[in-house]
Amino acid sequence: MKNSIIKKIIPVLLSVITFFLIWFLMAKKMNASLILPPPEDVFKQVLVLITSKSFWNNFLFTFLRTIFSFLISVFLGIIIGTFAGQNAFIKNFFSFPLSLIRSTPVIAVILIALYWFSSNLVPVFTACLMTLPIIVTAITTGILSADKKLLEMAKIYEYTKLQTFFYIKVPAAVPFFLNSLVSAFGLTWKVVVAGEVLSLPKKGAGTILQSNQVIFESTSVLAITFILVVVSFLLENLLKLLFKKKGGVNVR
């Protein structure tokens, strides 16, 4: 057990060390902090930011938009995915709009949304739209993957449609659904920040990211990005851990 853990940790540590070593060497060779600040300067700025009340105030708005967007996507995804998994007409009806959303660049959706919504709602709308196909597809696929033998057994024992759905189709869909939640949450976080960068709401991590970019504060831009990446990584892995413990599902 210990050996397997060590085998997993060592490559990750080597990868991280290699990344920061390359960053350090490139920054030193370029000697232009405006273009590529050295790691030590970025980490100093990270410490400044995480002790700043103003930063966490902005960060809180981004976090709330992410959670709000995520919950809306999950709610709509469950409804649409469930009906699509049960009915071929509904599945085919939604196949085109979902494919269209998948093919549309995030930046295009944000720019269009700027005409329709306030700066506070643009990130929320965009994140909901871009993550919805992930959840819908996962639930639909999960329901359709229900064991055919179990479905035949349900007919033999005269299960009602409701019983068949809850006892056979739902358990089949759960692993797909939980995996989609992890993917959808990560994407929601990224899209919300991107939406804030372009829509510039009064409060948001994306807003201060854009503000620092405009005044060429490269160190602050990288520091904010680093914090966002770390928080996103921790939250995604927390979700994975939660799903494994609660549902015993192998979430990748």
Side-chain angles (χ1 to χ4, degrees):
M1 182 67 179
K2 287 183 179 179
N3 289 334
S4 63
I5 294 173
I6 292 172
K7 286 180 180 180
K8 288 181 180 179
I9 292 175
I10 289 177
V12 174
L13 286 175
L14 287 175
S15 177
V16 172
I17 292 169
T18 302
F19 172 78
F20 283 108
L21 181 61
I22 293 172
W23 179 7
F24 173 78
L25 293 174
M26 287 182 65
K28 189 174 182 180
K29 185 176 181 180
M30 293 175 70
N31 194 26
S33 59
L34 180 63
I35 299 173
L36 183 63
E40 59 269 25
D41 289 352
V42 174
F43 289 133
K44 285 178 184 176
Q45 187 59 27
V46 167
L47 293 176
V48 171
L49 289 170
I50 62 176
T51 55
S52 168
K53 185 178 178 180
S54 174
F55 171 77
W56 288 115
N57 189 23
N58 280 279
F59 184 89
L60 177 62
F61 277 83
T62 298
F63 180 75
L64 291 175
R65 287 190 186 100
T66 300
I67 297 299
F68 186 56
S69 305
F70 180 66
L71 292 177
I72 293 174
S73 293
V74 171
F75 176 72
L76 293 176
I78 289 174
I79 293 174
I80 298 171
T82 299
F83 282 106
Q86 299 275 75
N87 187 288
F89 176 82
I90 295 175
K91 180 179 179 291
N92 293 329
F93 178 83
F94 280 102
S95 64
F96 172 71
L98 292 177
S99 298
L100 188 64
I101 292 170
R102 286 193 201 93
S103 303
T104 306
V106 176
I107 188 71
V109 176
I110 296 171
L111 292 175
I112 294 169
L114 285 170
Y115 292 108
W116 300 342
F117 303 101
S118 67
S119 58
N120 285 315
L121 290 178
V122 168
V124 174
F125 169 78
T126 308
C128 289
L129 194 67
M130 300 310 294
T131 55
L132 187 61
I134 297 174
I135 299 172
V136 172
T137 302
I139 294 174
T140 304
T141 304
I143 291 174
L144 294 174
S145 71
D147 193 325
K148 304 300 180 186
K149 292 181 179 179
L150 290 177
L151 292 174
E152 287 297 325
M153 182 199 71
K155 287 182 180 179
I156 294 171
Y157 285 97
E158 297 182 345
Y159 276 31
T160 64
K161 288 185 177 180
L162 205 58
Q163 287 174 324
T164 303
F165 175 73
F166 281 110
Y167 293 126
I168 298 175
K169 294 183 178 181
V170 169
V174 166
F176 293 85
F177 175 59
L178 294 183
N179 274 298
S180 74
L181 291 185
V182 176
S183 301
F185 184 82
L187 181 59
T188 300
W189 185 265
K190 297 178 185 72
V191 174
V192 165
V193 174
E196 289 177 345
V197 169
L198 290 177
S199 64
L200 297 176
K202 288 183 179 180
K203 297 286 185 179
T207 301
I208 58 174
L209 195 63
Q210 172 66 0
S211 300
N212 281 280
Q213 192 274 333
V214 169
I215 59 175
F216 302 106
E217 285 287 347
S218 304
T219 304
S220 293
V221 170
L222 283 177
I224 295 167
T225 302
F226 178 80
I227 295 171
L228 291 171
V229 169
V230 169
V231 172
S232 177
F233 175 80
L234 292 175
L235 290 175
E236 282 187 48
N237 281 277
L238 183 63
L239 278 178
K240 290 180 183 179
L241 185 63
L242 179 67
F243 294 152
K244 282 182 180 179
K245 284 189 174 182
K246 294 295 182 182
V249 177
N250 183 25
V251 180
R252 293 180 292 274

